[in-house]
Amino acid sequence: MNVSVALCTYNGAPYIAEQLDSILNQTVIPDEIIICDDISSDETLKIITQYQEKHSQIKIFLNDNNLGFIKNFEKAIQLCTQDIIIISDQDDTWEHNKVEEIIKYFEENAQYDGVFHDLRLIG
């Protein structure tokens, strides 16, 4: 199963590098990372562009106007092209095996269309 990540950004410079590192250091790397930026005015675009230069699975889309949280995620999800879509906030940090566990769950439970999980605070 192939995996897309739908990641939305808006003035996320303080967090976005840590989040992208946690996604890119998974035991199973996602096939694509769709980033929709909602007209950030900080260094977010610079940071995500630097990551894109090193990681071809990152695709950046810049909104023409501020869509807001919900519409921005709708756009990101629509741009995903893989079997599984994992939604990510810009200030999340993922456990190293999150993608692997989600794939495993779907492989073992083909009757389900979605999976939700609880959070764990990582310090």
Side-chain angles (χ1 to χ4, degrees), residues 99-115:
V99 173
E100 179 181 1
E101 289 294 318
I102 290 173
I103 292 170
K104 180 180 173 185
Y105 185 84
F106 279 119
E107 288 174 344
E108 294 172 357
N109 299 279
Q111 72 273 24
Y112 295 118
D113 293 327
V115 62

Side-chain angles (χ1 to χ4, degrees), residues 37-56:
D37 186 75
D38 213 10
I39 312 179
S40 293
S41 60
D42 65 358
E43 296 292 312
T44 300
L45 186 56
K46 178 180 177 185
I47 295 166
I48 61 177
T49 300
Q50 290 170 343
Y51 273 84
Q52 183 186 43
E53 291 170 358
K54 296 176 186 169
H55 303 279
S56 61

Side-chain angles (χ1 to χ4, degrees), residues 89-104:
D89 286 325
Q90 66 187 3
D91 59 350
D92 290 346
T93 302
W94 289 6
E95 293 281 354
H96 72 283
N97 63 340
K98 177 176 177 155
V99 173
E100 179 181 1
E101 289 294 318
I102 290 173
I103 292 170
K104 180 180 173 185

Side-chain angles (χ1 to χ4, degrees), residues 4-8 32-36 59 61 63 67 69-87:
S4 294
V5 174
L7 173 59
C8 291
E32 68 179 1
I33 302 168
I34 302 297
I35 302 176
C36 287
K59 300 170 186 168
F61 297 88
N63 296 336
L67 299 178
F69 179 78
I70 294 171
K71 292 288 185 194
N72 199 25
F73 266 108
E74 288 175 356
K75 177 182 175 181
I77 290 167
Q78 289 175 352
L79 290 166
C80 291
T81 64
Q82 303 303 312
D83 305 315
I84 298 172
I85 300 171
I86 302 174
I87 298 170

